[in-house]
Amino acid sequence: MSQIGLITIGQTPRTDVAPIIEQYLDGKAELVQAGVLDGFTAAEIIERFSPGTGEYVLTTRMADGSAAVISRERIKPVLQEKVELMEAAGIKVILLACTGVFPGLHATAAHLIEPDRIIPPVVQAMLGGRRLGLIGPLPEQENSMNEKFAEAGTRLPFAAASPYTGTEADFRAAAGRLRGQADVIVLDCMGYVEQHRQWAASAGIPAVLSNALMGKLIAEMV
């Protein structure tokens, strides 16, 4: 059976995301997981990877289900190592389980699939003139998400609800804030699951789940 690598910027196992990807692989490939924060304690993560002023902020899931807030700049060398280790293990297709932007991240021989390069153009093609709204995990991610999805000089409506700490009320409130401003919502984090999508869609606006979209696409690589 072929293997597909899944690299999370948090810790493995990703019992939230992996089943969604595996649903679309339908037993045709084995999902091999690796985590940037694997082996680090919570204290070590705060000391080594917490965002500094002006750094690109990300949030992710720990093995115990808790959340960590980390810096793209500080995790990137470890993330690159994880890609190289998967390549060395002979894995030919690697999916990054994060929708953040990682300039310069690369693979030598494997096909490295980065959701930030796929989801924005796919969503734009799906819109057909409809208005897009964004839900992301943290309020401080509004600017970086607009940089991915909005045309130059424009802003998209944004609301925050974390897939790791957010409640049903948080998601319903976030979707409610986008009502009247958006015709389609993107849940822009690989940590969102079907329950989050249903809560977001309660505002009467179709909601797109990032990891489900990537699962459908990567299944075509098997």
Side-chain angles (χ1 to χ4, degrees):
M1 179 185 293
S2 63
Q3 294 180 316
I4 290 181
L6 180 71
I7 302 180
T8 171
I9 61 170
Q11 291 183 331
T12 58
R14 285 301 300 258
T15 55
D16 52 345
V17 176
I20 297 173
I21 304 297
E22 289 170 332
Q23 171 188 346
Y24 295 106
L25 292 177
D26 194 26
K28 293 180 288 187
E30 177 191 5
L31 204 59
V32 179
Q33 300 187 45
V36 168
L37 301 183
D38 284 349
F40 290 104
T41 67
E44 289 170 338
I45 290 166
I46 291 171
E47 179 182 351
R48 293 185 56 165
F49 302 118
S50 288
T53 303
E55 292 182 337
Y56 190 105
V57 177
L58 299 163
T59 186
T60 187
R61 186 179 187 272
M62 301 283 280
D64 64 2
S66 62
V69 178
I70 54 180
S71 156
R72 174 184 67 183
E73 289 78 1
R74 298 179 192 228
I75 67 161
K76 191 175 171 184
V78 185
L79 176 56
Q80 184 62 54
E81 288 178 8
K82 297 295 181 181
V83 172
E84 292 167 2
L85 286 170
M86 281 203 167
E87 285 194 290
I91 295 175
K92 304 298 185 187
V93 178
I94 301 171
L95 172 62
L96 177 62
C98 178
T99 60
V101 178
F102 292 88
L105 186 69
H106 63 278
T108 302
H111 187 174
L112 176 62
I113 300 174
E114 299 175 72
D116 74 283
R117 298 176 182 272
I118 296 172
I119 294 173
V122 168
V123 168
Q124 287 297 338
M126 292 167 59
L127 286 175
R130 295 173 180 82
R131 299 169 298 174
L132 178 62
L134 304 172
I135 290 181
L138 303 173
E140 53 265 50
Q141 294 178 306
E142 179 174 359
N143 287 340
S144 61
M145 290 187 180
N146 262 281
E147 288 172 3
K148 280 194 301 183
F149 286 95
E151 296 180 359
T154 66
R155 301 281 295 178
L156 295 174
F158 172 90
S162 171
Y164 310 119
T165 61
T167 65
E168 178 177 353
D170 293 333
F171 279 86
R172 290 182 181 276
R177 285 196 289 275
L178 301 181
R179 187 183 293 116
Q181 304 179 70
D183 302 309
V184 176
I185 294 172
V186 170
L187 294 165
D188 190 34
C189 174
M190 291 289 277
Y192 293 119
V193 297
E194 175 60 22
Q195 181 64 79
H196 300 135
R197 193 195 66 77
Q198 291 181 18
W199 289 339
S202 66
I205 308 170
V208 176
L209 195 58
S210 294
N211 54 29
L213 182 58
M214 293 307 304
K216 294 171 184 173
L217 293 172
I218 201 168
E220 298 300 316
M221 302 288 291
V222 177

